[in-house]
Amino acid sequence: MTQSKAKKRTPAVFGWFSSLAEVFREGDMWTRLSALIMGLGQLKRGQVIKGLLLMAFEALFIWFQTGFGWQYLKDFGTLGTNAQARVWDEAAQIFRRVPGDNSMLILLFSVLTLATFIPFIAIWVINMKSALYVQKQAEKGVKPNSFVEDVKTFLDERFHITLLTLPMLTLVLFTVLPIVFMILIAFTNFDKNHQPPGSLFTWVGMTNVTDVFWGDQLKSQTFFGILGWTLVWAVFATFTNYIFGMILAMMINKKGIRFKKMWRTIFVVTIAVPQFVSLLLVSKMFTDTGVVNVLLQQWGLMSGPIPFLTDPTLARILVIVVNLWVGIPYTMLMTTGILMNIPADLYESAAIDGAGPVRQFISITLPYMIFVTAPQMITTFVGNINNFNVIYLLTTGGPLTLDYYQAGKTDLLVTWLYKLTVNEQNYSLASTIGIFIFLIVGSISLVVYNMTGSVKKEDQFQ
Amino acid sequence: MKKLLSLVLAIALVAGMSTCAMADAVTLKLWGAQEDQALLGELVEAFKAENADVEWDISLGVVGEPDAKTRYLEDPAAAADVFAFANDQLMDLVNADALYEVTRNKDAIVAANSAGSIESATLNDTLYGYPMTADNGYFLYYDKSVLTEEDVKTLDGILAKANEAGKKVFMDVSNGWYIASFFMGAGCELGMDENGNQTCDFNNAAGVAAGEAIRAFCADPAFLTGDDSVLQGGMGETICAGVSGTWNADAMMDKLGDNYAACKLPTFTCAGEQVQMGSFIGTKVVGVNTQTEFPVEAMMLAEYITNEAAQVKRFEQRAMGPSNVNAAASEAVQENLALAALAAQSAHGTSQKLVLGTYWTPAEAFGLEMENKSTADMQTLLDSMVAQITAK
Amino acid sequence: MKMGIKARERISNSIIYTILTILSFVWLLPIAWLIMSSLRAEPGAYTTYIIPKGWTLSNYTKLFTETELFNFPRWFANTLFVACVSCVITTMLTLMVAYTYSRLRFRSRKGLMNMSLVLGMFPGFMSMIAIYHFMKLMGLDQSLAALIMVYSGGAALKYYVAKGFFDTIPRSLDEAALIDGATRNVVFFKIILPNSMPIVTYTAIEAFIAPWVDFIFVSVIMKDNYDNYTVALGLFRMLERENIYNYFTQFCAGAVLVAVPITLLFIKIQKFYVGGVVGGAVKG
């Protein structure tokens, strides 16, 4: 399958270039000049508004590059060379500061500037092709599309462009560029000793990556330890929620059970209380002096407090259990409707064959549900790998341990990297870890998502 | 463009044309804690009135001392021109060249504030800020109806009485800030080498003895740990003594009523001898941002909000312990039990400014081991803690 | 025989009732504790007892009368405003993207879908500082507008539940309309949207809740601008060590006030919510 894709793609890219070459081969002077002054060809053939818009776009681009982009881009290779300087001012009796380069802003705005080249080149190519197109139309004596006609295509056959432009713009600004920025930081020494504005940071190559994997024993031990727990947590948190949520939904949905709406509402209420409140309270309930321990001792069940939050194993079990409290209502809501969709005759025939309720659940309900909700489960799984809230608010990653570098036994990779940035300003190490989280999670979800039946067959249902 | 502009401006300033900026209003922003806003507002108004020859445009922003460094580093250019911070952030702020040196009126400022508070804002013989309060430390609160003044002199005495009365002794051992009191009492030190990395000798012989003392304390039936809220909730009921700081004074008075008492930390048994517990002493310091357009005016403001009158006001309104010598000597301050206890303890304190970010997590992890009644070899535990604290 | 089945039914039902009752108790316990704390007259975050000794409503009234330190009404209004606007924007963006992927066929569709899926896995707070500086570049730092943009910015990544729902609407409907001469634009507004109320509701609720619960993004964006705080960030300030003893019960009261509108919303549109997720889940 990948082969056929590759085959299809090569000619596409090749064709893209060859059609550009065609513009220069077959275009007249006006068309060729459009390469320098965008929109010139269109203007000449009577597409005034389109031509002017293209020119304005080019002017805007040049204005942006000279006014803003260049001052950062020129230092991209070094990330700045002038540190903030001190000069004694005798009159004022102070050490005045002469601002230097800010490595972080250079890096960030260089990324932004480089990114603006992509739409520019794309529009430039479109400009060239359309210039040749209108030239040929004119040669044939056909009147070119008016501006209004052009706009109309964006509401119909090119409607996807209209719909996607704004979302994609936000996507690039809020997600893609920050990710690129973060990836680049992993190859610098941006840490507590290299903080702008006072000091510069610079490129250091692969040092951070090798540190995490084998260079620094403590850091790699921490990374793999936390990675292991993150995966264990994600698996347990996802599946326990899924199974128990479904069982709860089935109990509420069972024929003969009354007050269905009331039961559902009770569980839904817990969703409505913000997690930073509810989880904070829950974590207070489980401390040595919290409600749970006090009650257990008052009832005589225990002689001393149970170290729910300070014993590594208990703490890990606790976060999974509390996560049930958080997650079950969601699963319950979600599965309620699907459960009602399962054809009743499946159960009837199973009952005739003598299958009990457990058997029915395993051989009918579960497979059906998994088939239907697979994409939802992947989302939940990935969400759990990055489940900052539950861990951070409940245990802040604790109990801390000396076996790990600045981390605790319930820390996930995300919470660890949050702590590295907040407590230590160790952005370069945090970014390196961030990249790995991203690689792991991204590839898992991509593979699984594309494997699920519902994606493969998306067109069949319509 | 903005950057270019500020560059040009700065060069112009350095060239000696510093008066050119005076034509317009002097725009300054001041950061302080939310609880301090009303007080700061008053002080700013008084400041403007006293310097009426300049047109001022001073705005207030809410960033508490604990968050100052984080918020500053996110965007130094948008940070306040004058801001208060806890002095344990001094090192990181100086590393980022965030603070102007105190060069104007330095002698007067040094003379007006206690030596400890000046030292707490000094790095490599350079003073980087204006001390504002000297109360970011901890000491012992206790219940007079359970413990006598004699009992609270030693930890053993406190524990014995507490056990007799069926009460608890509170200390948050799984917290690097508090647990250090044992190590520093035993004579261990935290410091910094020339590369800016943390040094720590908590794993020497004295440290091991201190570690064993912590282990014994945690094993005592009267020992209780938890966060501040446990102390606030249990004092006077299940708790008869607890280690905490001035921010809890109101709550303690509230809970204990007439039985409210405070004193310096007790001594503890370290390798068979009685040793005074040490402590971290922190101060709150006002710094001037190196990115400010008006450094001289910003310094005037910083000096004004930390002068004697301002510190007296701060004590009256917010019960914050003054760093100013005269303000601290006033009768009202002397009569404040919590501040008196803190002052007594600070004789045994160590400044917090040489403690770097890498210290807290391993120290907390070690404290947790103790609270969980670990039986592991003390030397091994301390070795791995120190290895992490001193990691590069 | 018949009686046997009925008896068994009754036993199994009563077992279920028992389990449901116990579970409800467990689920409501923290909520009950939250409400009790919000009505507690004694200050402090921790008490050695469970039922408050004194009851009071002053924790609620103080939130609205003593606004000098903690301007709860203002923050509440901010949050409501941000939540409403970002809810509208997010819903629009999400539906636009989902509809495009579901109905329109173009060359880079598959690639864009996969790319969006992977990008959505990125831990969001790593991008905060970058986003803050972009906002500043646009002159929007520390403003509610910036916050709205931040909360709506990820909309293009959360398309798949809605896309799954659109996939279930029969294509024959839009094809018939296209034959009648309608543009795709009209198809979207006249045919798809009216048939998608559950998913619109679902998307809108998700977007509406985000500003009420986030406390990390908002702290980076707002920094020292106290007037533009949201409820979550403001309430968090009450838990700082200088404040927690006096303000914990007010913190609880504030939390209850935040939870009430969201709860009502959920109860009111539970059915839609269920329908929305299910529809999406059926076809992914």
Side-chain angles (χ1 to χ4, degrees):
Chain A
M1 182 174 154
T2 41
Q3 257 190 352
S4 71
K5 248 188 191 168
K7 259 184 204 164
K8 254 195 265 166
R9 243 180 224 162
T10 329
V13 174
F14 182 69
W16 196 75
F17 277 111
S18 73
S19 68
L20 202 58
E22 189 190 324
V23 174
F24 285 101
R25 214 170 41 241
E26 297 175 17
D28 63 8
M29 185 189 71
W30 292 102
T31 306
R32 286 185 193 170
L33 264 182
S34 296
L36 279 181
I37 303 169
M38 285 167 64
L40 208 59
Q42 286 84 349
L43 260 182
K44 163 82 180 154
R45 327 279 171 207
Q47 289 187 322
V48 180
I49 300 181
K50 192 175 179 183
L52 287 178
L53 278 178
L54 283 168
M55 270 180 198
F57 175 77
E58 190 180 3
L60 188 75
F61 180 77
I62 291 169
W63 177 77
F64 174 81
Q65 295 304 338
T66 51
F68 175 85
W70 177 243
Q71 59 174 315
Y72 295 104
L73 208 54
K74 70 178 167 30
D75 290 326
F76 186 56
T78 56
L79 296 181
T81 44
N82 303 315
Q84 182 164 284
R86 294 180 347 155
V87 179
W88 177 250
D89 180 338
E90 187 61 38
Q93 289 289 304
I94 58 170
F95 287 101
R96 287 206 185 267
R97 293 303 197 276
V98 185
D101 299 327
N102 186 324
S103 303
M104 190 186 68
L105 293 183
I106 290 174
L107 184 57
L108 181 64
F109 291 143
S110 293
V111 170
L112 181 67
T113 308
L114 287 173
T116 56
F117 278 93
I118 296 169
F120 177 75
I121 292 173
I123 291 186
W124 181 79
V125 170
I126 292 170
N127 151 65
M128 294 308 289
K129 284 186 185 170
S130 111
L132 181 67
Y133 179 76
V134 286
Q135 176 198 332
K136 285 192 171 164
Q137 296 289 84
E139 282 160 7
K140 278 189 227 154
V142 183
K143 196 177 163 288
N145 271 358
S146 77
F147 186 67
V148 178
E149 283 164 335
D150 269 345
V151 169
K152 271 194 182 148
T153 65
F154 282 99
L155 288 180
D156 207 4
E157 61 260 40
R158 283 195 275 183
F159 193 36
H160 64 272
I161 296 180
T162 316
L163 285 182
L164 283 185
T165 306
L166 189 60
M168 285 302 143
L169 212 64
T170 63
L171 185 69
V172 168
L173 201 58
F174 290 102
T175 313
V176 178
L177 293 185
I179 291 178
V180 174
F181 175 62
M182 187 207 74
I183 290 175
L184 291 175
I185 280 184
F187 302 99
T188 69
N189 59 355
F190 187 12
D191 59 21
K192 66 172 190 288
N193 291 326
H194 301 88
Q195 280 286 346
S199 25
L200 305 163
F201 62 83
T202 186
W203 302 107
V204 294
M206 301 292 284
T207 329
N208 298 307
V209 181
T210 52
D211 259 12
V212 169
F213 279 101
W214 57 83
D216 185 317
Q217 208 240 331
L218 189 60
K219 281 176 192 163
S220 61
Q221 181 184 331
T222 312
F223 177 77
F224 288 109
I226 294 184
L227 175 64
W229 159 242
T230 305
L231 293 175
V232 169
W233 145 264
V235 168
F236 272 94
T238 310
F239 286 94
T240 50
N241 266 351
Y242 192 70
I243 304 280
F244 288 115
M246 205 182 331
I247 292 176
L248 179 67
M250 286 167 70
M251 287 198 293
I252 296 178
N253 282 0
K254 188 173 180 295
K255 254 188 232 147
I257 297 292
R258 303 211 289 165
F259 313 119
K260 290 188 188 334
K261 200 156 182 200
M262 179 199 79
W263 295 119
R264 263 179 227 141
T265 305
I266 287 175
F267 292 97
V268 163
V269 168
T270 59
I271 300 181
V273 181
Q275 285 186 359
F276 74 87
V277 177
S278 58
L279 290 178
L280 222 65
L281 287 182
V282 171
S283 84
K284 281 203 187 296
M285 292 172 82
F286 283 98
T287 57
D288 286 359
T289 45
V291 182
V292 176
N293 271 316
V294 168
L295 282 182
L296 285 177
Q297 286 170 61
Q298 272 178 7
W299 294 339
L301 293 175
M302 295 305 286
S303 56
I306 304 174
F308 288 111
L309 293 169
T310 48
D311 179 85
T313 320
L314 279 180
R316 287 179 167 185
I317 295 174
L318 182 78
V319 289
I320 291 176
V321 171
V322 173
N323 187 57
L324 286 177
W325 186 88
V326 173
I328 280 184
Y330 280 106
T331 328
M332 189 263 302
L333 269 184
M334 189 184 88
T335 48
T336 303
I338 312 177
L339 284 170
M340 293 191 279
N341 281 350
I342 303 180
D345 49 340
L346 280 180
Y347 288 106
E348 278 160 23
S349 57
I352 291 167
D353 291 347
V358 177
R359 189 61 205 282
Q360 286 180 15
F361 177 75
I362 292 174
S363 59
I364 300 173
T365 318
L366 209 52
Y368 184 88
M369 291 295 292
I370 289 179
F371 172 75
V372 170
T373 56
Q376 201 79 34
M377 274 174 83
I378 303 160
T379 327
T380 321
F381 182 78
V382 170
N384 276 322
I385 289 185
N386 285 335
N387 200 331
F388 182 84
N389 265 4
V390 169
I391 300 293
Y392 193 76
L393 292 171
L394 209 55
T395 64
T396 43
L400 295 173
T401 168
L402 292 170
D403 302 340
Y404 286 173
Y405 177 75
Q406 308 276 343
K409 285 286 187 184
T410 58
D411 257 323
L412 303 180
L413 286 171
V414 256
T415 53
W416 184 35
L417 113 155
Y418 181 76
K419 287 185 194 169
L420 285 175
T421 58
V422 171
N423 299 344
E424 269 202 80
Q425 280 88 45
N426 200 340
Y427 292 102
S428 54
L429 181 59
S431 295
T432 316
I433 299 162
I435 293 178
F436 283 106
I437 299 180
F438 190 44
L439 284 179
I440 295 164
V441 176
S443 46
I444 293 176
S445 49
L446 207 56
V447 170
V448 182
Y449 186 72
N450 283 308
M451 259 167 41
T452 51
S454 40
V455 174
K456 278 190 193 158
K457 298 177 201 138
E458 66 177 338
D459 284 332
Q460 286 180 10
F461 287 104
Q462 294 181 357
Chain B
M1 292 307 273
K2 230 182 190 171
K3 207 185 121 191
L4 209 74
L5 200 77
S6 60
L7 189 81
V8 170
L9 199 77
I11 291 169
L13 284 174
V14 173
M17 296 157 67
S18 55
T19 44
C20 72
M22 302 289 275
D24 294 327
V26 175
T27 315
L28 292 175
K29 185 155 75 172
L30 173 61
W31 274 357
Q34 173 59 16
E35 308 86 61
D36 268 351
Q37 295 292 304
L39 174 67
L40 289 175
E42 269 177 50
L43 290 173
V44 164
E45 284 314 313
F47 173 74
K48 282 190 206 166
E50 272 188 34
N51 300 283
D53 50 326
V54 184
E55 194 187 327
W56 298 98
D57 177 11
I58 303 177
S59 60
L60 293 175
V62 178
V63 171
E65 294 89 7
D67 300 330
K69 178 190 78 177
T70 314
R71 290 284 164 265
Y72 179 89
L73 291 178
E74 278 167 7
D75 185 5
D81 304 282
V82 178
F83 60 96
F85 60 94
N87 81 311
D88 55 314
Q89 300 162 15
L90 183 68
M91 178 79 67
D92 285 337
L93 287 170
V94 170
N95 269 343
D97 196 20
L99 299 171
Y100 262 112
E101 299 81 359
V102 177
T103 42
R104 293 166 62 90
N105 276 347
K106 186 182 173 187
D107 295 340
I109 291 157
V110 170
N113 289 286
S114 69
S117 66
I118 290 294
E119 196 264 349
S120 79
T122 304
L123 258 187
N124 303 325
D125 299 325
T126 310
L127 179 62
Y128 282 100
Y130 304 78
M132 175 171 87
T133 72
D135 60 359
N136 202 18
Y138 47 90
F139 48 89
L140 189 77
Y141 286 108
Y142 66 96
D143 182 344
K144 260 198 288 196
S145 67
V146 179
L147 300 165
T148 64
E149 269 183 46
E150 194 54 34
D151 295 331
V152 296
K153 285 191 173 148
T154 65
L155 186 58
D156 296 339
I158 298 171
L159 288 170
K161 262 290 182 58
N163 276 319
E164 234 171 74
K167 303 245 175 173
K168 299 282 187 186
V169 177
F170 173 91
M171 181 168 176
D172 190 0
V173 166
S174 53
N175 182 326
W177 206 45
Y178 297 106
I179 201 175
S181 57
F182 286 93
F183 291 105
M184 294 188 303
C188 297
E189 278 175 5
L190 277 167
M192 198 184 45
D193 66 13
E194 63 274 16
N195 297 324
N197 293 312
Q198 186 90 63
T199 60
C200 175
D201 63 357
F202 287 9
N203 56 346
N204 63 17
V208 172
E212 290 298 349
I214 299 170
R215 175 136 64 190
F217 178 41
C218 291
D220 194 285
F223 168 74
L224 181 69
T225 184
D227 61 12
D228 266 5
S229 63
V230 173
L231 177 66
Q232 292 160 352
M235 193 60 160
E237 294 172 28
T238 52
I239 299 171
C240 65
V243 176
S244 190
T246 48
W247 62 92
N248 261 335
D250 282 343
M252 295 298 109
M253 269 186 261
D254 202 21
K255 292 296 251 188
L256 288 170
D258 291 341
N259 295 322
Y260 170 72
C263 65
K264 73 174 171 65
L265 294 177
T267 62
F268 67 101
T269 314
C270 181
E273 284 176 48
Q274 285 297 311
V275 177
Q276 171 62 44
M277 286 172 89
S279 69
F280 276 131
I281 42 173
T283 54
K284 288 174 184 164
V285 180
V286 172
V288 174
N289 185 353
T290 47
Q291 312 297 305
T292 180
E293 251 183 88
F294 305 100
V296 175
E297 291 79 2
M299 287 175 194
M300 284 164 67
L301 178 62
E303 199 181 331
Y304 188 84
I305 61 170
T306 54
N307 67 16
E308 184 183 335
Q311 292 207 16
V312 169
K313 247 189 183 165
R314 190 167 282 113
F315 168 74
E316 284 165 356
Q317 294 188 12
R318 305 257 304 111
M320 308 250 262
S323 62
N324 183 288
V325 182
N326 295 339
S330 78
E331 238 171 78
V333 175
Q334 293 294 323
E335 277 169 13
N336 184 309
L337 274 183
L339 288 178
L342 183 65
Q345 176 60 34
S346 53
H348 311 283
T350 311
S351 165
Q352 210 176 309
K353 69 180 181 196
L354 292 181
V355 184
L356 300 182
T358 47
Y359 167 75
W360 307 106
T361 311
E364 185 179 338
F366 171 77
L368 259 178
E369 290 277 347
M370 293 295 100
E371 288 180 358
N372 286 342
K373 311 200 168 46
S374 157
T375 52
D377 177 50
M378 186 56 67
Q379 186 71 54
T380 322
L381 281 178
L382 291 174
D383 283 346
S384 54
M385 172 175 87
V386 169
Q388 282 213 38
I389 291 174
T390 55
K392 284 168 192 66
Chain C
M1 187 71 193
K2 224 177 179 184
M3 282 302 287
I5 290 175
K6 260 200 173 158
R8 242 174 51 191
E9 188 77 15
R10 209 176 303 146
I11 292 171
S12 74
N13 275 0
S14 40
I15 292 175
I16 288 179
Y17 279 127
T18 320
I19 297 176
L20 284 179
T21 312
I22 295 172
L23 288 182
S24 304
F25 178 74
V26 170
W27 252 260
L28 291 181
L29 193 67
I31 313 288
W33 198 33
L34 172 70
I35 296 173
M36 282 199 297
S37 301
S38 75
L39 295 168
R40 175 148 54 84
E42 313 91 79
Y46 162 78
T47 51
T48 47
Y49 43 88
I50 295 157
I51 308 289
K53 284 179 178 160
W55 301 84
T56 176
L57 275 174
S58 70
N59 294 321
Y60 288 90
T61 52
K62 273 186 194 162
L63 280 176
F64 293 93
T65 52
E66 294 178 8
T67 54
E68 214 160 85
L69 273 190
F70 299 103
N71 196 346
F72 187 79
R74 166 111 201 203
W75 298 335
F76 199 92
N78 285 345
T79 319
L80 194 64
F81 173 71
V82 171
C84 289
V85 179
S86 82
C87 167
V88 172
I89 297 178
T90 308
T91 312
M92 269 167 39
L93 291 182
T94 311
L95 295 181
M96 276 156 72
V97 175
Y99 172 78
T100 314
Y101 289 150
S102 168
R103 278 305 202 274
L104 307 177
R105 291 292 178 271
F106 50 98
R107 211 170 38 184
S108 43
R109 173 175 163 275
K110 196 91 195 172
L112 277 178
M113 275 169 64
N114 280 337
M115 187 194 75
S116 309
L117 183 78
V118 176
L119 290 178
M121 312 301 165
F122 182 71
F125 59 81
M126 287 300 290
S127 54
M128 280 183 316
I129 295 194
I131 292 177
Y132 166 80
H133 283 283
F134 289 152
M135 288 295 168
K136 198 181 164 197
L137 199 64
M138 291 187 261
L140 287 175
D141 52 319
Q142 305 193 11
S143 69
L144 291 179
L147 211 53
I148 290 169
M149 289 177 74
V150 167
Y151 291 137
S152 320
L157 300 174
K158 296 175 214 138
Y159 66 87
Y160 33 80
V161 177
K163 172 187 173 288
F165 191 92
F166 290 152
D167 283 350
T168 64
I169 299 172
R171 275 215 149 188
S172 48
L173 276 181
D174 21 329
E175 268 154 21
L178 284 175
I179 290 168
D180 288 348
T183 61
R184 287 177 202 283
N185 178 36
V186 173
V187 170
F188 178 58
F189 284 104
K190 290 277 158 69
I191 293 172
I192 303 289
L193 270 190
N195 279 308
S196 312
M197 279 333 280
I199 200 63
V200 174
T201 317
Y202 167 77
T203 317
I205 294 182
E206 295 274 288
F208 185 82
I209 291 178
W212 297 93
V213 296
D214 164 67
F215 56 97
I216 294 179
F217 263 99
V218 62
S219 71
V220 175
I221 299 287
M222 285 313 163
K223 299 199 189 301
D224 56 356
N225 196 343
Y226 213 57
D227 285 341
N228 279 350
Y229 275 20
T230 61
V231 165
L233 187 58
L235 288 179
F236 240 81
R237 289 274 176 271
M238 294 187 179
L239 298 179
E240 279 171 2
R241 82 176 184 189
E242 279 84 4
N243 303 328
I244 187 168
Y245 180 71
N246 289 322
Y247 288 96
F248 182 78
T249 47
Q250 281 191 42
F251 166 83
C252 291
V256 171
L257 291 182
V258 171
V260 166
I262 304 181
T263 312
L264 291 179
L265 210 65
F266 258 102
I267 293 174
K268 194 106 185 104
I269 36 190
Q270 212 185 82
K271 206 174 64 197
F272 272 153
Y273 191 90
V274 173
V277 191
V278 173
V282 170
K283 301 291 161 49

